[in-house]
Amino acid sequence: MDVEVRYIDDSKGNGLFAKKNFSEDSILFEESPLVCVQFSWNAEYGYKACDHCLKPLETAEENVRRLTGKTEIVLPYPELCTTNKSTITQCSGCGVEYCNADCQEKAFNQYHRTLCVQTGPLQCLNDAWKQIHYPPETGNVMLIPRILATIQQSCDKENTLNRFLKFCHRSVNDDSHLAHKLLGEKFANQISTLHSLLVQSMPHEHVSQLLSPEGFQSLLALMGTNGQGVATSPFSQWVENVPEKDLVSKLYEDMDANVGSFLDNEGVGLFETQSAANHSCLPNAEIVYRHNNSTLSLRALRDIEAGEEICISYVDECTLSSSRHSRQKELRENYLFNCNCPKCLEQADDPDVTSDEDMSDSDE
């Protein structure tokens, strides 16, 4: 790869660095997740995606009809749709669907052989999670069974376990804070319920340390801090090449009126290389999904020189444009660090308020 992970210091730990010059808009690297899973409510609302790679399983036309609520819509240029429904396969044991036989085989060999026979208990865990973690979704407890099953099915279980443990590096108190933050104050007391359901649904061999209460809390914290959102869409792929932009605008208006901003198949994944990228409020790279599946691409936002640290933003664009106070508050609550990027240092003497909400926070 043309990037490498280097140790920086005790406060920042590792960072991701360029090994060569990159021009703006170029792709620094691509990687598939160690594991990923669709959000539970996203699947419940009919967003059909491959159970392994999150590639859409409906056509662009089917997607638009469902999201607009208008079943009479006929999209022009059907050849621009990238969904191939003829290759979709289904697990004969539990019925989950895949975009093709290759994904089905990869899933079975990595984790699904273990999970398929636990469909009933895992459904109880999934149902409990949905009652605790409503949209907008930021994680999914169902990622954890895939982590555990991946370890159990691995030919080198110790090495696979250690790859996941690299994501777990905080104190017990930090893990507790992040787990509670993920569930929200109202449902934080349900962690023991989720843990009990997980223990009932998974074999314990080779993963007993992760099935302890502390191990489960650590996995929730892992998901909260390292889980990377994945989003795919058959319509967005169609839009990229369609010549009639006026038509596109009207369709987006109709979808927004019917379902709001929730347009994509969405899930969460763990990415080994991407997770080494530190945050900056002036990022020089961004995450994109060019292949309409869970393969992550890191794209340069500006020219990057060899030896330069590659940084992404851990917060959304709206937060990036807000005050230093707002950015620091979100990063402390969700990632447990104070940002010392050039933008934050430059704004160190700025007032700590930019909105009524921030004003009330500062007055407390």
Side-chain angles (χ1 to χ4, degrees):
M1 296 180 71
D2 294 321
V3 300
E4 63 181 354
V5 178
R6 296 184 201 164
Y7 175 77
I8 301 176
D9 56 41
D10 289 343
S11 62
K12 292 188 72 172
N14 292 327
L16 193 63
F17 291 83
K19 293 169 64 177
K20 70 169 193 176
N21 295 336
F22 290 96
S23 58
E24 181 180 351
D25 289 329
S26 62
I27 300 300
L28 283 64
F29 68 88
E30 294 185 323
E31 69 172 325
S32 297
L34 294 175
V35 287
C36 75
V37 68
Q38 188 179 7
F39 287 144
S40 293
W41 279 108
N42 190 263
E44 181 76 15
Y45 286 141
Y47 293 81
K48 297 187 65 177
C50 174
D51 196 60
H52 183 66
C53 78
L54 264 61
K55 187 177 180 66
L57 298 183
E58 60 183 354
T59 65
E61 184 174 272
E62 290 171 334
N63 188 230
V64 170
R65 288 178 173 181
R66 180 171 56 80
L67 294 176
T68 60
K70 298 180 178 180
T71 58
E72 73 278 6
I73 287 178
V74 177
L75 285 189
Y77 313 108
E79 69 278 4
L80 299 181
C81 176
T82 59
T83 303
N84 183 359
K85 298 191 71 169
S86 68
T87 64
I88 294 175
T89 62
Q90 187 177 56
C91 174
S92 59
C94 64
V96 297
E97 292 184 310
Y98 301 92
C99 61
N100 56 45
D102 184 51
C103 260
Q104 182 174 359
E105 182 179 7
K106 287 178 179 177
F108 185 81
N109 291 335
Q110 181 184 335
Y111 55 81
H112 192 68
R113 185 176 70 244
T114 297
L115 301 183
C116 185
V117 297
Q118 300 293 330
T119 302
L122 287 172
Q123 186 59 51
C124 292
L125 176 63
N126 189 47
D127 290 342
W129 174 257
K130 286 191 296 183
Q131 297 308 309
I132 292 172
H133 198 72
Y134 290 92
E137 296 174 274
T138 57
N140 189 352
V141 74
M142 303 309 290
L143 189 71
I144 294 177
R146 294 198 177 188
I147 292 173
L148 301 177
T150 295
I151 296 168
Q152 291 169 326
Q153 289 190 206
S154 173
C155 295
D156 188 348
K157 294 176 175 54
E158 182 176 357
N159 179 58
T160 304
L161 172 62
N162 288 331
R163 288 179 73 182
F164 285 111
L165 288 177
K166 284 193 300 184
F167 291 94
C168 306
H169 50 75
R170 290 164 299 271
S171 68
V172 172
N173 288 337
D174 285 348
D175 282 343
S176 176
H177 168 84
L178 291 168
H180 281 68
K181 177 69 176 158
L182 179 66
L183 296 183
E185 192 64 34
K186 183 177 179 181
F187 296 108
N189 62 346
Q190 298 296 309
I191 290 178
S192 60
T193 299
L194 293 173
H195 173 245
S196 176
L197 290 170
L198 176 69
V199 169
Q200 295 171 35
S201 63
M202 290 298 301
H204 292 205
E205 190 177 7
H206 307 295
V207 294
S208 56
Q209 69 187 95
L210 295 177
L211 284 171
S212 68
E214 296 78 17
F216 177 64
Q217 196 161 255
S218 180
L219 288 172
L220 283 178
L222 175 163
M223 185 170 65
T225 55
N226 289 288
Q228 174 59 50
V230 179
T232 64
S233 167
F235 180 63
S236 66
Q237 290 284 297
W238 179 84
V239 165
E240 285 187 11
N241 297 310
V242 70
E244 297 179 20
K245 301 305 179 186
D246 290 342
L247 169 63
V248 170
S249 298
K250 180 61 169 63
L251 289 172
Y252 272 124
E253 289 176 6
D254 290 343
M255 287 188 286
D256 183 67
N258 192 45
V259 297
S261 59
F262 300 101
L263 304 180
D264 300 336
N265 304 308
E266 295 182 344
V268 61
L270 286 180
F271 296 85
E272 204 162 16
T273 302
Q274 171 270 328
S275 68
N278 287 312
H279 166 84
S280 173
C281 299
L282 286 174
N284 57 10
E286 67 175 352
I287 292 166
V288 293
Y289 293 94
R290 303 190 305 152
H291 306 291
N292 212 24
N293 60 19
S294 60
T295 299
L296 175 151
S297 304
L298 200 65
R299 180 168 62 195
L301 291 171
R302 58 171 174 79
D303 292 350
I304 299 174
E305 296 182 357
E308 184 177 350
E309 185 177 5
I310 299 165
C311 293
I312 60 176
S313 173
Y314 291 1
V315 297
D316 59 30
E317 290 186 12
C318 182
T319 304
L320 275 185
S321 63
S322 64
S323 70
R324 176 179 181 271
H325 167 71
S326 299
R327 300 195 308 271
Q328 294 279 7
K329 181 174 181 288
E330 182 163 336
L331 290 167
R332 279 195 302 270
E333 288 182 354
N334 294 288
Y335 300 97
L336 306 182
F337 72 88
N338 291 311
C339 182
N340 292 308
C341 74
K343 183 176 180 178
C344 285
L345 293 176
E346 182 182 340
Q347 297 176 345
D349 296 327
D350 287 1
D352 282 343
V353 292
T354 57
S355 66
D356 291 340
E357 181 180 0
D358 286 334
M359 181 72 75
S360 65
D361 288 339
S362 65
D363 289 340
E364 291 176 355

